[in-house]
Amino acid sequence: MSGSRENHREDVIGRANVEDTPELLAYYDELDRHSAGALWTVANKIEPWQPKSQSVPVVWRYRDLREHVLRSVQLVTPEKAGRRVIYLNNPGRTDVSAAVGWIYAGLQVMNPGEVASAHRHSASAIRFIMEGSGAYTVVDGHKMTLGANDFVLTPNGTWHEHGVSADGTTCLWQDGLDIPFVNAMEANFYEVHPDLSQAVGYAVDDMTKTWGNAGLTPAGQRWSKGYSPMFKYEWAPTYEALGKFAQCTDGSPFDGVMMEYVNPATNGPVMQTLGASMQMLRPGEHTRAHRHTGSYLYHVAKGRGHSIINGKRFDWQERDIFCVPSWAWHEHVNGSASDDACLFCLNDLPVMRALGLYREEAFGDNGGHQPLV
Ligand code: GTQ
């Protein structure tokens, strides 16, 4: 028995609507034995009217999770664990270890002087620093130093290792990767560096010093790889840019003052599969609801507030992480009347856009706000 055929009966002309009979059930069993099936038993499921995300909206509260992440320091070493990470397991996506949709996320902790061995894989990653000092990542021989709300790219195929310098403090950060997506594509390779670590071959932070200058790129240098040469994006210039943009825009009715991190060589997304943005919700701002295809994983970089996702309220504060599944209605509220709130977002929009799957819709009723359920 295929088991999936009881999920859907819709009395709509043009949609599958075949009653089970003993003869048909026997026929389905026969097909099953031949590793085949009748399309009308699954058609309404595999071709929904609109996207049906298996992910559920979740807030991972840092004040609840932090102590559990820190406990892992007593329990395992980076050498034994490879990566000392507690991953965010969306209740609807435990089968693929995703935080939302096809995006994986985890919280990693590292003590001063520790380093995780160098490796590379087909999955692309970002590492977004939450707390601590002395964090660094080496990407293909380029060493990037990292502070809170900075993030570094470790694009697919690049050797990378994470560490915390001996004079630093315990660091916690969020990893975000496209592991579930690359696995779904059945294209994931993984390799440990033969020396377990790589030599640093360039001036520290060179890729950001070279490519991260607003409106300027290095004369005569070309960059043709599919990911951004600016391996690290820092918080201070990001926040400054949002502040400047806010002076001359009303912002998006759905997202406030929002800017996308780009590959300075192309103005495209930072990596081929993962995009990132930072948005500022001004004091008291309450955005209008909309929905779009693509999965969003938000990290509260600053402030506090709440989001209403598919009619349910989710409160958040600094360092919390929450997700908006594909095609879920969502609107954001800054909970402070005097200070701004900033949301970092990791998403799969580059995939949606590249494949022609991006679609967006505004919530029309009720002044653009969802009724709470
Ligand atoms: O740093 O490359 O959280 O490969 C999970 C898998 C981080 C990494 C994770 C990984 C990484």
Side-chain angles (χ1 to χ4, degrees), residues 7-8 10 15-16 39 42-54 293 326-327 359:
N7 306 346
H8 38 73
E10 292 180 62
R15 297 290 280 188
L39 173 63
V42 296
N44 297 343
K45 181 179 171 201
I46 66 172
E47 293 184 295
W49 297 109
Q50 53 189 28
K52 271 192 193 162
S53 182
Q54 289 170 22
T293 50
S326 185
W327 209 238
R359 198 153 144 176

Side-chain angles (χ1 to χ4, degrees), residues 133-185:
S133 65
Y136 66 88
T137 294
V138 185
V139 184
D140 277 348
H142 300 272
K143 180 172 178 174
M144 302 285 142
T145 58
L146 296 154
N149 287 347
D150 294 349
F151 72 99
V152 65
L153 310 178
T154 57
N156 61 342
T158 56
W159 292 113
H160 56 280
E161 68 207 74
H162 306 309
V164 175
S165 62
D167 60 355
T169 60
T170 297
C171 287
L172 283 108
W173 65 83
Q174 179 199 326
D175 291 323
L177 293 92
D178 58 7
I179 291 172
F181 174 72
V182 179
N183 285 340
M185 295 292 104

Side-chain angles (χ1 to χ4, degrees), residues 83 85 104 108 119 121 160 162 175 177 179:
R83 296 271 185 275
V85 180
Y104 158 99
Q108 189 161 171
H119 68 195
H121 37 63
H160 56 280
H162 306 309
D175 291 323
L177 293 92
I179 291 172

Side-chain angles (χ1 to χ4, degrees), residues 211 217-225 229 265:
W211 292 95
T217 57
Q221 281 196 41
R222 294 281 169 271
W223 180 265
S224 54
K225 297 194 169 141

Side-chain angles (χ1 to χ4, degrees), residues 16-55:
N17 187 15
V18 179
E19 295 293 332
D20 287 343
T21 63
E23 190 184 16
L24 275 172
L25 289 173
Y27 174 57
Y28 298 150
D29 286 346
E30 190 65 28
L31 289 174
D32 200 32
R33 280 195 283 280
H34 289 83
S35 301
L39 173 63
W40 62 87
T41 65
V42 296
N44 297 343
K45 181 179 171 201
I46 66 172
E47 293 184 295
W49 297 109
Q50 53 189 28
K52 271 192 193 162
S53 182
Q54 289 170 22
S55 307

